[in-house]
Amino acid sequence: MNILVCGGAGYVGAHVARELHLRHHKVTVLDNLSTGHREAVRWGQLIQADILDTNALDSVFRENTFDAVIHLCARSIVSDSTTDPYGYYLNNVQGTLNVLRSMRANGVGKFVFSSSAAVYGQPISDVIHEDHPKNPLSPYGSSKWMVEQMLADAWSAYGLSSASLRYFNAAGAAHQDGIGESHDPETHLIPNVLRSLLAGTPLNVFGNGYPTPDGTCVRDYVHVEDLASAHVLALNYLDQNQGTHAFNLGSGTGFSVMDVIRTAERVTGRQARISPREPRAGDPARLVASNLLARTRLGWNPSQQDLDEIVLSAWRWHQDTAY
Ligand code: UFG
């Protein structure tokens, strides 16, 4: 298939482009490079354009024939979204609407959307299933949930088939192919732990009084290569199953912040310097996925579940190639 990957220069997007290439699909990346990296576009042509530029989008769709769109463009820093909600709704909701309208005008009927565990808000169960109530805690989470609701309406009105993939914590790197996680500023735990171990600087740990076994937040870390493979499975699924669908993408296992730090120390042979901080606003104590639906419907089989291996792949990337 000929696939447009919006946001294909970002962390997850670059891994999706790689996976599509490995599965013999043709890839075109559309990215404004505001947070993405030119160096990460290694599988397919880069079109540098903004999803808020409807003229640019229209010409991209007019000049190419795509079978489907995988859409990962988003502003994605939860705390930022609370101080700039208009900016988040503009980019994440209006921008997505622009892509969907161009698709419709040009007869493209399949859409895979990068959603988030942030749609659920404060969990009311130990393990989160897709039908868990949606009470996002931030404009970022709301923006993802709004798009999911738009997609349900787009199926009823226009017959657009879509799969929303609710990522838990993307982690690791396809370091062997020179891509990995790089944000500026970096807010995510694993890259921050590794950067602090490399530089010998202190690591902020946000909160140690949560109702978890060691008092730090528990998250579900899923290897970014496994995340990427789910996008290709979702495209195949949409071929056979029209409609609007949503799947959790997590490993189903929770690790605390301290588990991650101890793992990173073991993998790198270095000792972390921990700087305890107040809890970050809006961090749920525990977010762990049920991935049963993705396993049974998509045939997804996350194969890189070992946290040591996940952290090691990220460490290799940080040591060798980080852009
Ligand atoms: N943390 C630290 N120190 C750091 C960075 C993070 O202690 O330097 C802690 C956080 O407070 C949190 C845990 O590590 O308890 C994980 O934080 P991340 O920022 O790595 O990930 P989040 O779980 O906050 O965010 C992820 C996705 C978001 C999504 C969110 C849903 O990255 O896109 O889950 O809640 F919105």
Side-chain angles (χ1 to χ4, degrees):
M1 285 192 271
N2 192 11
I3 313 294
L4 179 66
V5 182
C6 297
Y11 169 43
V12 180
H15 288 82
V16 168
R18 170 181 176 270
E19 180 70 20
L20 287 165
H21 174 81
L22 291 174
R23 303 281 160 212
H24 311 293
H25 297 293
K26 182 174 175 227
V27 179
T28 303
V29 168
L30 184 146
D31 202 297
N32 67 2
L33 299 181
S34 63
T35 56
H37 303 270
R38 192 179 290 279
E39 304 93 308
V41 183
R42 306 190 47 202
W43 299 276
Q45 182 206 354
L46 169 67
I47 300 171
Q48 189 173 350
D50 198 303
I51 54 171
L52 295 176
D53 181 347
T54 51
N55 290 330
L57 275 181
D58 281 339
S59 43
V60 169
F61 278 94
R62 266 199 315 273
E63 287 160 18
N64 297 273
T65 308
F66 299 116
D67 299 295
V69 173
I70 299 181
H71 179 59
L72 308 100
C73 298
R75 289 180 66 186
S76 63
I77 302 179
V78 172
S79 59
D80 247 15
S81 77
T82 61
T83 54
D84 183 19
Y86 287 174
Y88 271 68
Y89 291 125
L90 181 66
N91 194 80
N92 296 5
V93 181
Q94 178 68 56
T96 305
L97 183 58
N98 292 344
V99 174
L100 293 171
R101 294 183 76 180
S102 282
M103 287 174 64
R104 178 157 187 258
N106 291 280
V108 183
K110 267 188 294 183
F111 190 71
V112 175
F113 174 58
S114 145
S115 188
S116 168
V119 300
Y120 297 114
Q122 197 67 46
I124 56 170
S125 52
D126 265 4
V127 170
I128 300 173
H129 294 265
E130 284 79 355
D131 59 2
H132 182 287
K134 316 299 180 298
N135 294 308
L137 298 172
S138 65
Y140 167 73
S142 296
S143 73
K144 293 290 179 180
W145 179 231
M146 285 177 190
V147 170
E148 289 202 27
Q149 292 172 293
M150 259 171 18
L151 293 174
D153 293 337
W155 162 245
S156 310
Y158 315 125
L160 175 77
S161 281
S162 69
S164 292
L165 303 180
R166 297 180 186 149
Y167 307 163
F168 281 65
N169 289 63
H175 65 92
Q176 65 282 13
D177 282 332
I179 52 173
E181 183 167 16
S182 175
H183 299 106
D184 184 19
E186 187 54 78
T187 60
H188 293 110
L189 178 63
I190 292 179
N192 277 349
V193 175
L194 298 177
R195 284 178 183 195
S196 75
L197 288 174
L198 263 178
T201 49
L203 170 74
N204 293 332
V205 170
F206 299 116
N208 55 17
Y210 286 97
T212 59
D214 66 17
T216 62
C217 288
V218 170
R219 292 290 181 272
D220 178 329
Y221 295 91
V222 53
H223 198 295
V224 65
E225 287 183 32
D226 283 327
L227 270 191
S229 72
H231 293 69
V232 181
L233 292 170
L235 283 179
N236 298 340
Y237 184 79
L238 292 179
D239 278 339
Q240 309 299 321
N241 301 274
Q242 294 191 331
T244 181
H245 310 276
F247 300 99
N248 285 342
L249 296 182
S251 68
T253 310
F255 291 99
S256 73
V257 171
M258 287 313 299
D259 289 335
V260 171
I261 295 170
R262 298 297 169 234
T263 302
E265 289 183 327
R266 196 164 51 244
V267 162
T268 63
R270 299 179 184 211
Q271 179 106 39
R273 289 168 52 202
I274 289 170
S275 174
R277 299 280 159 179
E278 288 299 305
R280 261 184 351 192
D283 270 353
R286 177 185 160 89
L287 279 175
V288 177
S290 160
N291 60 20
L292 191 65
L293 208 61
R295 283 181 180 275
T296 51
R297 300 261 170 92
L298 300 181
W300 188 51
N301 182 21
S303 58
Q304 304 191 59
Q305 299 263 33
D306 180 11
L307 188 63
D308 283 60
E309 291 298 320
I310 293 176
V311 172
L312 180 60
S313 71
W315 176 240
R316 295 225 161 105
W317 151 257
H318 278 275
Q319 275 188 308
D320 301 346
T321 12
Y323 27 73

